[in-house]
Amino acid sequence: MQTIVAGSEAVIAHQVFGLWQILLFPLAGALITYCLGASSKSAHRYAGWMASFSAAMSFAWVVRWFVSLRDLEALHSLNISYQETLWNWFTVGKFAVDFSLRFDHLSAVMCLFITGVGSLIHVYAIGYMEHDEHRPRFFSYLNLFLFSMLILALGGNLLVLFVGWEGVGLCSYLLIGFWFKEMDNAKAGQKAFVVNRIGDAGFVLGMFILITLAGSLEFDSVNALAEQVHGNYTLGMMIFAATLLLFVGATGKSAQIPLYVWLPDAMAGPTPVSALIHAATMVTSGIYLISRLSPLFVVSPVLLIIAVIGALTAFFAATIALVQNDIKKVLAYSTVSQLGYMFMALGVGAFSTAMFHVVTHAFFKACLFMGAGSVIIGCHHEQDMRAFGGLRKTMPLTFVTYLVSTLAIAGFPFLSGFYSKDMILWSVFSDSHPAMAAITIGGVALNKVLWGLGVVTALMTAFYMTRSLVMTFFGEYRGHHHPHESPLVVTIPLIVLATLSAVFGALFGEDLLQFLSGWTRSDLAMGHEHLAHQPYYHLLEYISIGAAVSGIAIATLFYGIAPTIPGKIAQAFRGLHQLLLDKWYIDELYQAVFLRPLRLLSEISFRLVDRLAIDGLVNGAGVLADSSGDLVSRLHVGRIGTYILAMLVSMLGMLVFWFVG
Amino acid sequence: MTEYYLGFSAVLFALGTLGVIVRRNTLIVLMCIELMLNAVNISLVALAREFQQVDGHIYVFFVMTVAAAEAAVGLGIVIGVFRNFVSTEKESIASLHG
């Protein structure tokens, strides 16, 4: 047992063996489901249940390890982190990387909700994908995703984390483009993978810098760099570069500006995929990464950038969500926006608060996506909200769960979203970092401006979520199908998640914050009672509640009570409305600025460099051989006389040389 | 005295070589080859007489034997070739060209 200082409290590292068993179930599930599905048609029925069983078993295992960790900690009144080294991956000179796993407070929280929400979504997908012919492949990919995500969360060093990071990127590609026979779906999968890759390039470069600085990629070694930074300007700059690059990786995976463009397109995948990957788990990887390396990020100026980008992304995505008509697109932009909140929290050093929002967001966003999926299959694969309406009568269970989750995400008091969002806004407002106060916009300190953005975004969030609720479940049904409630396999996970969205914040919020605090430096994790004595706290709380309630009220007015108003406003501000509907033309901007020049460059490379130069060289070698062969073969005249002459002339020549030379 | 013999041998050899290059008929070429061999025989005998050694004479025997055998074999080849090409012109046996 050795002592490592992680954050403000000492943590004991405890070697264990057996964490790998958590990973075993999803991996085995993926392989077995795929092979069984490929071999027999009748096995298709069981594919979903097999995969859900694997997911549930990994959840059970995580719980077992969690309980064991807590018991051990209670026994010794210490903070413990389980470490497990599976094998020595490679050693190059002095740089050694083991395939190691780590189970401490942070990874425990991650694994619990990954496997928990993951299992629920597996069960849900059994119902959602009931009529799909390719179920085994789907469930195999889902399990593979779970496997990769667990590697990411359990990784003991940056490289193992990166293995999981890449793995989830791959599974995201496979699952988004699951119905690849439609070109648009395949393109969406490719877009997700390529944009992710750009982020990964940043991640890898950041890792390289860290290897140069620390000689190792173990979390403890890398985090220890932060202690040497005082007065060391070069080290500070290098750390800034490394953390900035890692943040670029995080923007790719967690869909922040500028690399968020893949997430709305990713809605082309089946809804369980959107729920699992693009709401609850994969997109939180960036936040997990930064929390893991929090001691390093705390001493780097990049936190300011993270906070600003988080706030901007939250605001920006919310504006787009206001006018979208596809229910999944609304939820997609909502996800980008909520992730922005989490990055805002990270940016002010409130790492455990960000993780708190990660967990609550996983609950309500997964519930929202699954609810949307339930509506979609209930209305026979219709996704446009303008063809919904009045569904609370035909789909009551879905309605109630969607309602609860909407209230949670809007920040309605006492639901979990309220607690986590409130904590984030409070952390941003009261950030005491000198840089935040020094930078002013129009005379107002930066962190107050970001807080303001956060509040406006909260209002917009409440508005557009309520809009989607009202358009879908209230009023009269505007579609052409016969909607029906979804089966139990679909509704039971909805109920579980809605319950969690409702009560988790109130019941376990404090405990979670306490559990994660002290895990990172300069963390804000004060108890609610303590907070109540802080200046402005109650005022801020009321402002947040006000924003949420007014958002809900305005949306109810616009879409429930006086449905002609939105149309009139859209007409009055037609330009703005079109701008928001077309996503601020960012995709078109990227096309013009990046994709077209790149395509031009690749055309030039293809025609000029590849065809002309390289093929010319290679083919030219062939032509050369051919023509010289032709030339030489002219010596074969076939006429004996010529041969004899040649023979005699050469003999004469030899004799001459012999006598003369 | 010997030099006349050697000169004579050289001339015969040159004529034989010329014949091999120039003449079209394969049989004539074979005859010219014989001529070359016999020219060498003359020079061998002349030199043997000059140095009063018997080696030259023995060598001549060998050359004659080989010439005879070679003539036999060569004629056999000519007959074989004639069967395939129906011509004894050496110019027409030119199918091995590139």
Side-chain angles (χ1 to χ4, degrees):
Chain A
M1 292 211 194
Q2 80 242 57
T3 316
I4 8 167
V5 180
S8 46
E9 295 174 35
V11 176
I12 310 290
H14 182 76
Q15 296 293 331
V16 294
F17 185 71
L19 281 173
W20 57 269
Q21 292 154 357
I22 301 176
L23 297 171
L24 180 69
F25 289 100
L27 181 64
L31 290 168
I32 295 175
T33 316
Y34 194 90
C35 297
L36 229 71
S39 58
S40 89
K41 204 70 180 188
S42 57
H44 281 31
R45 253 180 300 153
Y46 307 111
W49 293 103
M50 270 194 280
S52 307
F53 177 70
S54 318
M57 285 303 287
S58 68
F59 176 62
W61 234 252
V62 170
V63 170
R64 172 213 179 280
W65 280 101
F66 175 65
V67 167
S68 132
L69 182 72
R70 292 292 266 164
D71 286 343
L72 200 61
E73 286 189 332
L75 195 64
H76 299 283
S77 338
L78 285 171
N79 281 331
I80 299 183
S81 118
Y82 283 158
Q83 316 256 35
E84 176 169 323
T85 306
L86 290 175
W87 71 85
N88 174 250
W89 189 354
F90 64 85
T91 313
V92 178
K94 277 193 295 180
F95 177 55
V97 173
D98 296 326
F99 202 95
S100 60
L101 302 175
R102 168 195 283 240
F103 192 79
D104 58 11
H105 288 198
L106 189 58
S107 42
V109 169
M110 287 289 288
C111 290
L112 278 171
F113 83 79
I114 292 170
T115 48
V117 176
S119 314
L120 288 170
I121 296 181
H122 274 76
V123 173
Y124 169 85
I126 298 174
Y128 191 86
M129 304 289 284
E130 200 178 337
H131 302 293
D132 196 288
E133 305 177 329
H134 301 286
R135 266 169 296 169
R137 184 163 62 96
F138 182 76
F139 284 104
S140 161
Y141 287 166
L142 271 188
N143 265 13
L144 189 68
F145 169 80
L146 213 62
F147 173 66
S148 311
M149 192 70 205
L150 284 169
I151 293 183
L152 196 158
L154 285 171
N157 57 53
L158 264 176
L159 209 58
V160 177
L161 194 154
F162 190 63
V163 170
W165 188 273
E166 292 287 299
V168 296
L170 172 72
C171 292
S172 177
Y173 161 76
L174 290 171
L175 285 164
I176 294 172
F178 183 71
W179 293 314
F180 55 80
K181 301 219 172 93
E182 296 290 318
M183 190 54 157
D184 284 339
N185 299 344
K187 278 196 200 160
Q190 185 191 52
K191 184 174 182 176
F193 194 73
V194 171
V195 175
N196 247 233
R197 245 359 196 148
I198 299 172
D200 293 349
F203 193 124
V204 170
L205 290 172
M207 275 203 288
F208 289 163
I209 298 181
L210 289 175
I211 295 175
T212 331
L213 291 176
S216 151
L217 286 176
E218 301 292 316
F219 291 130
D220 302 322
S221 322
V222 166
N223 284 334
L225 282 173
E227 289 153 26
Q228 308 164 16
V229 90
H230 283 291
N232 190 340
Y233 183 69
T234 8
L235 184 65
M237 277 290 111
M238 300 275 275
I239 290 182
F240 175 50
T243 49
L244 184 65
L245 288 164
L246 288 172
F247 174 58
V248 169
T251 57
K253 198 59 98 191
S254 297
Q256 296 296 289
I257 292 171
L259 296 172
Y260 70 92
V261 288
W262 62 271
L263 207 149
D265 284 43
M267 297 299 114
T271 310
V273 173
S274 308
L276 181 61
I277 300 185
H278 308 126
T281 43
M282 183 179 103
V283 291
T284 59
S285 319
I287 295 136
Y288 172 70
L289 174 72
I290 296 179
S291 300
R292 249 297 164 229
L293 297 175
S294 51
L296 203 65
F297 275 81
V298 162
V299 299
S300 162
V302 83
L303 278 190
L304 202 64
I305 301 176
I306 295 178
V308 172
I309 289 194
L312 285 175
T313 310
F315 180 79
F316 175 77
T319 58
I320 302 180
L322 290 174
V323 300
Q324 296 297 316
N325 290 311
D326 183 335
I327 192 170
K328 285 183 72 172
K329 286 276 183 342
V330 173
L331 294 174
Y333 284 105
S334 169
T335 305
V336 176
S337 180
Q338 294 300 309
L339 289 168
Y341 271 111
M342 297 174 213
F343 277 91
M344 254 206 294
L346 290 175
V348 296
F351 300 98
S352 49
T353 310
M355 288 303 297
F356 181 29
H357 200 56
V358 164
V359 176
T360 60
H361 177 261
F363 294 145
F364 55 66
K365 194 42 76 54
C367 187
L368 283 169
F369 263 110
M370 300 208 292
S374 171
V375 167
I376 291 172
I377 47 174
C379 294
H380 300 277
H381 292 283
E382 175 61 67
Q383 287 187 234
D384 195 320
M385 290 194 291
R386 293 173 290 194
F388 291 160
L391 290 174
R392 71 190 151 101
K393 300 179 205 125
T394 40
M395 308 176 75
L397 270 169
T398 308
F399 166 61
V400 170
T401 56
Y402 198 89
L403 174 68
V404 171
S405 310
T406 304
L407 290 175
I409 193 177
F412 197 81
F414 306 116
L415 297 175
S416 43
F418 163 69
Y419 289 104
S420 53
K421 200 181 289 192
D422 205 47
M423 283 294 296
I424 292 179
L425 290 173
W426 161 251
S427 312
V428 173
F429 187 85
S430 60
D431 183 42
S432 52
H433 197 276
M436 282 285 187
I439 304 175
T440 58
I441 300 180
V444 185
L446 182 63
N447 63 328
K448 307 288 195 280
V449 173
L450 295 181
W451 171 82
L453 276 176
V455 173
V456 174
T457 310
L459 198 154
M460 287 197 281
T461 308
F463 176 82
Y464 65 67
M465 287 312 303
T466 313
R467 168 179 178 260
S468 74
L469 178 80
V470 171
M471 276 180 91
T472 309
F473 293 102
F474 289 90
E476 291 306 315
Y477 182 58
R478 298 180 287 270
H480 303 292
H481 303 288
H482 295 287
H484 54 82
E485 181 62 271
S486 302
L488 273 176
V489 272
V490 168
T491 50
I492 290 187
L494 282 175
I495 295 172
V496 174
L497 283 173
T499 318
L500 282 168
S501 310
V503 305
F504 185 82
L507 291 181
F508 300 111
E510 298 258 332
D511 296 332
L512 183 67
L513 287 174
Q514 208 44 43
F515 191 61
L516 288 173
S517 76
W519 217 254
T520 58
R521 296 252 166 99
S522 89
D523 204 347
L524 184 83
M526 298 186 241
H528 201 81
E529 316 81 51
H530 190 172
L531 272 176
H533 298 299
Q534 296 287 315
Y536 297 121
Y537 182 69
H538 281 298
L539 178 64
L540 256 52
E541 233 182 358
Y542 294 144
I543 293 178
S544 308
I545 298 177
V549 171
S550 36
I552 296 175
I554 299 175
T556 321
L557 175 70
F558 276 23
Y559 293 95
I561 301 173
T564 53
I565 300 185
K568 288 199 201 132
I569 298 184
Q571 281 288 60
F573 295 96
R574 219 169 317 166
L576 183 64
H577 185 253
Q578 197 57 39
L579 179 72
L580 294 180
L581 198 60
D582 288 333
K583 312 163 279 166
W584 293 79
Y585 299 110
I586 295 289
D587 279 316
E588 289 76 3
L589 180 74
Y590 281 5
Q591 273 280 347
V593 172
F594 297 113
L595 293 180
R596 239 169 331 130
L598 219 74
R599 217 158 265 150
L600 193 68
L601 187 68
S602 47
E603 281 290 324
I604 295 176
S605 304
F606 177 57
R607 285 186 210 290
L608 223 69
V609 177
D610 198 31
R611 277 235 199 102
L612 215 65
I614 297 180
D615 280 358
L617 263 164
V618 172
N619 291 353
V623 166
L624 191 71
D626 222 10
S627 53
S628 54
D630 256 343
L631 216 69
V632 172
S633 82
R634 297 244 189 97
L635 283 173
H636 282 245
V637 285
R639 291 197 299 275
I640 300 177
T642 322
Y643 290 161
I644 296 174
L645 183 60
M647 244 197 314
L648 288 167
V649 166
S650 41
M651 256 198 280
L652 202 65
M654 276 201 296
L655 280 171
V656 167
F657 272 123
W658 192 25
F659 280 119
V660 170
Chain B
M1 184 66 175
T2 325
E3 50 282 6
Y4 295 125
Y5 284 117
L6 291 177
F8 177 57
S9 160
V11 168
L12 275 181
F13 191 82
L15 283 173
T17 317
L18 210 63
V20 166
I21 296 174
V22 171
R23 301 298 295 237
R24 269 179 294 137
N25 198 327
T26 327
L27 290 166
I28 307 291
V29 170
L30 279 172
M31 283 193 243
C32 292
I33 292 174
E34 290 298 312
L35 191 55
M36 284 199 283
L37 286 166
N38 283 307
V40 172
N41 283 349
I42 292 174
S43 84
L44 279 169
V45 169
L47 290 168
R49 180 179 174 275
E50 185 184 342
F51 293 112
Q52 290 299 314
Q53 293 203 328
V54 79
D55 301 23
H57 299 282
I58 308 294
Y59 213 48
V60 166
F61 273 120
F62 281 110
V63 173
M64 275 194 216
T65 318
V66 169
E70 178 225 335
V73 172
L75 281 166
I77 293 177
V78 167
I79 293 175
V81 166
F82 177 72
R83 285 211 189 109
N84 279 309
F85 284 89
V86 198
S87 157
T88 53
E89 309 291 299
K90 74 173 195 279
E91 301 302 313
S92 52
I93 315 169
S95 20
L96 264 182
H97 62 89

